[in-house]
Amino acid sequence: MRLFGPLYERALRWSKHPHAERYLAGLSFVEAFIFPIPPEVMLAPMALAKPERAFRFASVSLLFSLLGSLVGYALGHYAFQALHPVLDALHLLAPIEHGVDSLRSQMNQHWLGLLLVLLLAALQPVVPMKFITWASGIVGVPLVPFMLCMALGRGKRVYLLAMLIRLFGKRAEDMLHRHIERIGWAALVILAALVVWWLLAR
């Protein structure tokens, strides 16, 4: 069953629509908490078509990604609370709460490591943003540092893309497509190392 391919192709079609900027805003918003296709899929062809507006498109994408991050954070927090009776009936609540409490304790003791993990997770394209926003809401990451990391991580992605397209045009998109897997996996390895360090640090 093909799922991601058709969604990817649809996002590319949206980028050519007269209301593409609105679609970019909507995609950036829902991608932060549920949709599987990152907004860069639309942002790149839109910026290529109108390079003079590349940074405007990047700003729209960032703003609505941050609004979507708040929704994902709230969903993580309230969905976990709502599922308490179900998890308790399945005898899963106690071990899950123990794990969450342990993460909260680590977060309080090693907040700088947590910020580095969040920042890198928001920056790289392999881990979907919705996992970060939901998990942050469940654990109870302080809202201001959470939003700051989301802004820096996602902002660096969209503004870097806009800058490269302004400077190099189509060559920039080709270069990103060629190297995105290497960049993503390298960032994922660093992220995993940071997570392990943060969990083991005392």
Side-chain angles (χ1 to χ4, degrees):
M1 184 179 70
R2 296 180 70 238
L3 173 62
F4 297 105
L7 291 174
Y8 185 93
E9 291 162 8
R10 178 170 296 182
L12 287 175
R13 288 199 300 273
W14 286 342
S15 70
K16 299 176 177 64
H17 195 276
H19 300 301
E21 194 169 322
R22 297 178 189 176
Y23 290 155
L24 174 64
L27 175 60
S28 300
F29 178 73
V30 297
E31 184 269 340
F33 61 91
I34 191 169
F35 200 69
I37 304 300
E40 288 90 341
V41 171
M42 279 193 68
L43 177 60
M46 287 174 64
L48 281 169
K50 297 180 179 179
E52 72 282 359
R53 304 189 73 186
F55 286 99
R56 173 185 169 85
F57 296 149
S59 297
V60 168
S61 180
L62 175 60
L63 173 61
F64 283 87
S65 286
L66 293 179
L67 292 175
S69 296
L70 288 173
V71 174
Y73 185 97
L75 286 173
H77 176 75
Y78 290 111
F80 180 59
Q81 299 298 322
L83 287 173
H84 272 194
V86 176
L87 295 173
D88 194 27
L90 295 172
H91 306 289
L92 295 173
L93 183 59
I96 290 175
E97 283 196 320
H98 176 74
V100 170
D101 288 341
S102 176
L103 284 174
R104 285 174 181 156
S105 175
Q106 292 289 332
M107 177 177 67
N108 292 331
Q109 294 176 36
H110 307 286
W111 59 270
L112 182 57
L114 170 70
L115 294 182
L116 289 173
V117 168
L118 280 177
L119 180 59
L120 189 59
L123 173 62
Q124 57 84 45
V126 177
V127 177
M129 193 169 178
K130 61 204 64 58
F131 292 166
I132 307 165
T133 59
W134 279 67
S136 296
I138 291 171
V139 175
V141 175
L143 193 57
V144 172
F146 165 74
M147 291 301 294
L148 180 62
C149 288
M150 294 300 100
L152 290 174
R154 177 51 62 90
K156 189 172 183 180
R157 280 172 56 178
V158 295
Y159 285 123
L160 177 62
L161 176 61
M163 183 183 71
L164 288 174
I165 287 176
R166 282 297 301 270
L167 292 175
F168 302 109
K170 187 69 170 63
R171 286 182 298 161
E173 187 187 31
D174 294 339
M175 180 179 65
L176 287 171
H177 283 167
R178 279 201 310 272
H179 300 294
I180 191 65
E181 288 294 326
R182 295 174 188 169
I183 295 170
W185 283 109
L188 189 61
V189 169
I190 297 171
L191 174 61
L194 275 173
V195 169
V196 171
W197 168 78
W198 181 64
L199 292 174
L200 296 180
R202 291 293 186 271

